[in-house]
Amino acid sequence: MTVKLGVIADDFTGATDIAGFMVQNGWCVVQLLNEPNENTVVPQDVDAIVISLKSRSCSADEACQASMNACHWLKQQAQCQQIFFKYCSTFDSTEKGNIGPVTDALMKYLKTDLALVCPALPVNGRTVVHGHLFVNGQLLNESGMQHHPVTPMTDANLLRVMEKQSRGKAGLIKLADVQQGCDAITLQLTSLALQGVSYAVIDALTMDDLLPIAKAVQNMPLLTGGSGLGAALANVDSQSPWGKDAGHGNKPAAVGRKTVILSGSCSVMTNVQVQSYQQIAPAKALDVGECLDNSHYAQSLAKWVQEQQVTSLAPLLYATQPPELLKQIQQKYGASQSSLAVENVFGEVVKLLQAQGYNTFIIAGGETSGKVVQSLGTEQLSIGAPIAPGVPWVQDLASGNWLALKSGNFGQKNFFQFAQEMFNE
């Protein structure tokens, strides 16, 4: 079987996000959790390979190098027909990158002058109209993303954002053209290329808008965007039913389940989810000062988790804070220092808990998810049943551990509880 699509995802939750959507739309997908090399075995009989990087918030140079390495492996080793650079549907980046620089690097490697920019994921409230990104009907810079601790989004105009962090010119394919169908989109892509445009930002208001886009871009060497386009690409190819959550896929068995929840995201929705879960289950907030200064802090947190297993719901450890408290923490300890310290503690905690038989990890936040899977030694995941749009259950093929890796703003209010209610009796 030919590998139709090679996906380079800039964080772990984003990788499981697009992998889950493609599986639900009829493709066989394998997700690799480490940057591949010449010794990495190419998965067989798959439609798409998703490589999970941790390149969203590192330096642009590091992000470009890791993405280039992944692209080289996907093209040379896996013989992927098309490359997809996957980033968050809220376009998480700074004025200097990393979406723009990575896109430029991949365009140069693939010898293409035009890349698609399509972050829309309408099923999760991410829409693009007139080149502006909206989250649940609010402009991106008014949606809460302007308070993101690592990648604050202060401009909803994707053309401006893209041009600020990259070398080329951005152009727009309007919603009216998208709604006219594949031929109209193809015509606009050709027109933008003739104008010397490097980045074709495309509007999408509904999930149905993504289908003609997917048909029009099947021969483009490089696509960039969110998981909505990945779902549409798989659907157009497999001719699966569109717009229906099949809910198929494996999920954890209730028997023998030892579960913990770790929340590092400070997004609006994760704050709501943490506050909701606190009302019904044991929950403990991390102390950033202890994360920085107490070398035994992870041991004490792991011990606390084990002491809470008298309840039916898993205990929650969280660094999630509302914007005003997060700002105070960052001013006191430094944004990067506090974030790194929290991630490191979470990484130590899961290793300690895994040694004590914990086999199910529900994680909120891309950076936290990346640290957790690295600490657990996870290398390859199979994609299971969806918990929420863009958040499937996944299983470590080597250890048997089950994980839910949730992007910050994904999932319903009762996500943590609902994920556990899905366990097979």
Side-chain angles (χ1 to χ4, degrees), residues 71 78 154 189 200 209 320 330 380 407:
C71 185
T154 58
L189 286 168
D209 291 331
T320 304
Q330 291 178 333
Q380 187 172 325
S407 292

Side-chain angles (χ1 to χ4, degrees), residues 127 249 398:
T127 56

